[in-house]
């Protein structure tokens, strides 16, 4: 059995796909299998994946004949095929430092009951140029799962993207996948909450993953549609019910996020109505939101 199952879920990322796969093949840690998935791409990506079929690391190449409609369903499909103790979902438009697996797995395995581990990341453009000055550090932070949820996942998702993560396969909960498979924006956030509940979380502050920003990223359009709140409220509700969150943990932060996003993304009247309906079940958030609005009017 391999120690790590690497899953590459691809959809229309042909320009970036070879760099992604080669960054996996060139890892200094080589005890891994590679599972390649394609969700009915129309740009030639399927042919690129097929060209790796005979590589000894590759155990599966699975190409959908029709689009499944959800990146998160592809994650679940890959995990179901995986044999490794650890899972790395390596998004098809990102890439990794050659020491990513060696460094992150080494730190994760030092921590008993670690369910999720992640590194810092470089944000890059479509040509690989760095967009943000990510601090470089080799510090390691270890959190109890619920403490990580409270500090790092309550108001927003502090993990940049799944490509920077490893998680234990036996902590994955397929029966809970219905909670996130339908989502466009917040499915990964929900996914991390479900994992963090199962054990400790390790953060390696060294940036060893490259998160590519380009025209086909959906995040900006989704933010304009208010999905941080419309989907994020489902994540919040789960954390309140299952992770022991109190209003003091989330109300002020969610209210500030609401006000800031409302201004930044200029929500339409229709989106504003949906967001207010969504937030109406949380009186503490509404109180803080109104207070922030009053303060902004008085300036």
């Amino acid at each position: 059995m391999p120690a790590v199952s690497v899953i590459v879920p691809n959809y229309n990322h042909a320009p970036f796909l070879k760099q992604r796969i080669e960054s996996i093949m060139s890892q200094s840690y080589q005890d891994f299998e590679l599972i390649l998935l394609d969700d009915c791409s129309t740009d030639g990506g399927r042919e690129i994946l097929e060209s790796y079929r005979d590589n000894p690391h590759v155990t599966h190449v699975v190409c959908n004949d029709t689009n499944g409609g959800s990146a998160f369903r592809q994650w679940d499909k890959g995990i179901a095929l995986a044999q490794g103790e650890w899972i790395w979902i390596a998004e098809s438009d990102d890439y990794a430092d050659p020491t990513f697996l060696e460094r992150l797995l080494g730190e994760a395995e030092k921590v008993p009951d670690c369910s999720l581990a992640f590194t810092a990341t470089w944000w890059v453009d479509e040509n690989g140029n760095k967009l943000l000055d990510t601090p470089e550090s080799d510090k390691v932070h270890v959190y109890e799962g619920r403490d990580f949820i409270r500090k790092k996942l309550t108001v927003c998702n502090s993990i940049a993207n799944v490509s920077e993560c490893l998680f234990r396969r036996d902590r994955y909960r397929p029966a809970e996948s219905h909670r996130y498979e339908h989502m466009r924006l917040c499915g990964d956030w929900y996914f991390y909450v479900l994992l963090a509940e199962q054990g400790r979380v390790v953060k390696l502050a060294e940036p060893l993953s490259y998160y590519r920003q380009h025209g086909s990223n959906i995040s900006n359009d989704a933010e304009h549609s208010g999905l941080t709140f419309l989907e994020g409220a489902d994540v919040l509700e789960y954390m309140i019910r299952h992770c022991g969150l109190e209003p003091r943990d989330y109300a002020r932060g969610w209210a500030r996020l609401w006000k800031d996003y409302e201004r930044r993304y200029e929500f339409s009247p229709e989106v504003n109505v949906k967001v207010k309906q969504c937030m109406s079940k949380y009186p503490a958030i509404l109180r803080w939101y109104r207070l922030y609005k009053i303060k902004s009017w008085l300036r």
Side-chain angles (χ1 to χ4, degrees):
M1 294 289 187
V4 181
S5 294
V6 187
I7 300 165
V8 177
N10 176 62
Y11 177 65
N12 282 350
H13 284 155
F16 315 119
L17 199 48
K18 189 172 179 63
Q19 183 182 18
R20 162 42 95 196
I21 295 173
E22 291 301 321
S23 80
I24 296 166
M25 295 297 190
S26 62
Q27 288 293 301
S28 57
Y29 184 89
Q30 286 281 301
D31 188 9
F32 65 84
E33 67 169 340
L34 182 55
I35 298 169
L36 302 174
L37 307 177
D38 185 79
D39 200 10
C40 199
S41 292
T42 58
D43 65 349
R46 178 172 181 164
E47 289 72 22
I48 295 172
L49 296 185
E50 288 288 354
S51 72
Y52 286 91
R53 184 179 286 276
D54 294 331
N55 186 284
H57 280 296
V58 175
T59 56
H60 299 84
V61 179
V62 181
C63 300
N64 289 348
D65 292 328
T66 58
N67 185 268
S70 167
F72 305 118
R73 291 194 185 101
Q74 289 292 92
W75 293 13
D76 290 335
K77 176 187 282 189
I79 297 168
L81 296 170
Q83 296 297 310
E85 179 183 0
W86 294 88
I87 304 287
W88 175 20
I89 298 176
E91 295 280 26
S92 54
D93 52 344
D94 301 326
Y95 57 103
D97 185 274
T99 65
F100 172 84
L101 274 180
E102 180 182 2
R103 292 283 294 117
L104 186 55
L105 185 60
E107 296 299 337
E109 290 190 328
K110 293 176 185 176
V111 178
D113 201 35
C114 174
S115 60
L116 172 65
F118 66 103
T119 71
T121 195
W122 294 108
W123 295 61
V124 298
D125 66 16
E126 61 185 27
N127 298 312
N129 300 308
K130 292 175 181 175
L131 298 173
L132 298 174
D133 186 19
T134 302
E136 297 193 55
S137 170
D138 60 359
K139 289 185 178 179
V140 178
H141 307 273
V142 180
Y143 302 85
E144 296 299 327
R146 286 199 172 190
D147 192 43
F148 182 78
I149 291 169
R150 185 172 290 106
K151 291 180 178 179
K152 301 296 183 180
L153 296 177
T154 293
V155 176
C156 63
N157 179 9
S158 67
I159 299 176
N161 82 329
V162 74
S163 292
E164 67 194 57
C165 299
L166 287 176
F167 60 91
R168 286 192 188 273
R169 181 165 58 96
D170 64 3
R171 306 301 170 88
Y172 162 71
R173 299 155 66 185
E176 298 293 319
S177 63
H178 67 280
R179 297 185 182 277
Y180 58 81
E181 278 192 340
H182 64 284
M183 292 182 169
R184 288 185 63 208
L185 183 63
C186 296
D188 53 349
W189 183 4
Y190 221 141
F191 192 81
Y192 305 141
V193 170
L194 294 170
L195 285 170
E197 281 189 289
Q198 304 301 304
R200 290 170 156 183
V201 178
V202 172
K203 177 183 178 181
L204 172 60
E206 189 174 355
L208 297 173
S209 181
Y210 294 80
Y211 180 23
R212 200 186 303 268
Q213 306 296 294
H214 54 88
S216 60
N217 290 130
I218 68 165
S219 297
N220 193 55
D221 175 63
E223 295 288 18
H224 279 284
S225 301
L227 287 185
T228 293
F229 302 94
L230 301 177
E231 292 185 354
D234 288 341
V235 186
L236 176 61
E237 184 68 17
Y238 180 90
M239 292 187 289
I240 291 170
R241 290 180 178 272
H242 298 275
C243 305
L245 292 190
E246 300 289 342
R248 65 176 178 270
D249 297 319
Y250 63 81
R252 189 171 183 174
W254 269 84
R256 186 186 298 116
L257 190 73
W258 181 4
K259 181 185 73 69
D260 290 346
Y261 272 41
E262 187 179 51
R263 173 183 53 80
R264 185 188 310 173
Y265 295 107
E266 298 181 345
F267 290 162
S268 68
E270 293 79 12
V271 170
N272 267 323
V273 168
K274 290 179 181 178
V275 169
K276 287 178 181 177
Q277 288 174 341
C278 191
M279 292 288 102
S280 64
K281 66 170 74 172
Y282 308 108
I285 294 178
L286 287 173
R287 286 195 295 271
W288 276 105
Y289 170 76
R290 289 166 183 151
L291 179 61
Y292 283 132
K293 292 288 281 187
I294 290 170
K295 285 183 176 180
S296 67
W297 292 332
L298 293 176
R299 288 175 184 167

